[in-house]
Amino acid sequence: MEEVNYILNFDYESSLAGKSLKFKGSNWFDHIFFFINQEANASLNSTYPFDEDYLNYLKELGVVSTKIRRADNPTNWWGKKIDLPVEKYFNSKITMTELGLREGWIPVQSTIDIEQARSEFELPLIARDEWGFSGRGVKIIRDERDFDSIKSRSVFSSYVKKIRDYGITFDLIHDDFFIVENFIDSRGQFKGGTLRSADESIGEKNLEKLILIRNKLKELGATDSVQIDTFTFDKGFHPFVEVNYRRTMGQMVYSLKRYFDERNIYWLLMTNKKKKSFKDIQEGLKMYPFKTILLSPADHFLSIALLSEKELNISNEISKLEKFIGQI
């Protein structure tokens, strides 16, 4: 079988916007390919300096392929860039907000018109760049002067007190889905996640709403898979924040159940403040009270699976684990 060479084009949203912005250090995230990929004939086109010890470690964990190749004309993996009009339509927060407002899927006061937001909306507001991802491009507008920081087309929404963030990924080919609870930091950036059932997260009635939304997206041309971002808040449920019509970090969370048997699997992104080595972190984690598995190279950041048979207070556990890593 012919080898397929993939590149993790994390500049995907930027390219859809017609920009050439590169995210510094994003190739560290290339390691998620090894866990999500299920093609034995696949290779990764990466500039990240993965060492042999790490790749051998991945083989022990059971990943399907650890082949790394630098090849001409690699296949895009994060975002396909095959049908650009459709991909731009679904990934744009502007067009999805317009759709959500028309369909009545957005219960929070929202607009894409900055002048309307300025004149009609009460502060504070949340502003989201049209093409941001994983929390990038999110700003809080607390006073009139903050509007001056908005340099690109954005969605403006009333600030509400979130309770939980979820991403629901619908497999449109096999008519299946999974739900990931996303862990979001105070700056609105993604810090990890865990799988949840409908009963543990949004509930069956809200899932029915999401299925109707999924069906509408299919009618509009969505194929393969689509993730719909949602959240619960102090006044109810927000079923339609935005759409990710590409690969997602949620797929990394979902993939981990192939490698670990524990009932609760938490994927966490941590900071390696003391720049400890892979071996040092790996050995140090063996002393942590819960089973923790290092999944990434030890760089500025660390990708870790936290495993437990019992449900953990994950906010507290993240703080404890960050402190523990700082003392290794």
Side-chain angles (χ1 to χ4, degrees), residues 50-115:
F50 295 105
D51 62 40
E52 285 302 315
D53 285 345
Y54 174 70
L55 296 177
N56 290 332
Y57 171 74
L58 291 181
K59 291 175 185 177
E60 293 174 5
L61 288 178
V63 303
V64 171
S65 173
T66 58
K67 294 192 286 284
I68 298 176
R69 304 271 192 275
R70 296 291 290 161
D72 296 330
N73 302 315
T75 299
N76 289 318
W77 190 82
W78 184 251
K80 290 184 177 180
K81 298 181 72 172
I82 293 174
D83 189 342
L84 287 178
V86 171
E87 293 173 48
K88 286 182 178 180
Y89 177 71
F90 287 118
N91 284 304
S92 164
K93 294 177 181 60
I94 299 290
T95 55
M96 288 299 95
T97 297
E98 291 175 327
L99 173 64
L101 290 172
R102 285 198 306 270
E103 296 290 335
W105 299 338
I106 299 178
V108 175
Q109 189 180 34
S110 300
T111 184
I112 63 171
D113 186 334
I114 189 171
E115 294 307 321

Side-chain angles (χ1 to χ4, degrees), residues 30-42 54-67 252 255-256 258-260 294-296:
D30 286 2
H31 74 274
I32 71 173
F33 172 83
F34 298 120
F35 294 92
I36 299 173
N37 171 61
Q38 290 296 291
E39 301 176 40
N41 63 321
Y54 174 70
L55 296 177
N56 290 332
Y57 171 74
L58 291 181
K59 291 175 185 177
E60 293 174 5
L61 288 178
V63 303
V64 171
S65 173
T66 58
K67 294 192 286 284
M252 174 65 172
S255 75
L256 295 182
R258 302 191 194 107
Y259 305 96
F260 308 112
L294 184 56
L295 304 176
S296 69

Side-chain angles (χ1 to χ4, degrees), residues 29 134 165-167 180-185 188-195 249-254 256 265-270 302-306 314 318 322:
F29 279 100
S134 291
D165 279 270
Y166 300 103
V180 169
E181 179 182 352
N182 297 312
F183 308 140
I184 308 298
D185 68 13
Q189 296 195 355
F190 179 83
K191 298 295 289 183
T194 190
L195 286 175
M249 296 299 178
Q251 291 175 322
M252 174 65 172
V253 177
Y254 180 76
L256 295 182
I265 303 171
Y266 305 92
W267 182 48
L268 306 175
L269 300 177
M270 297 278 172
L302 303 168
S303 172
I304 292 173
L306 175 61
I314 194 60
I318 288 173
E322 284 180 334

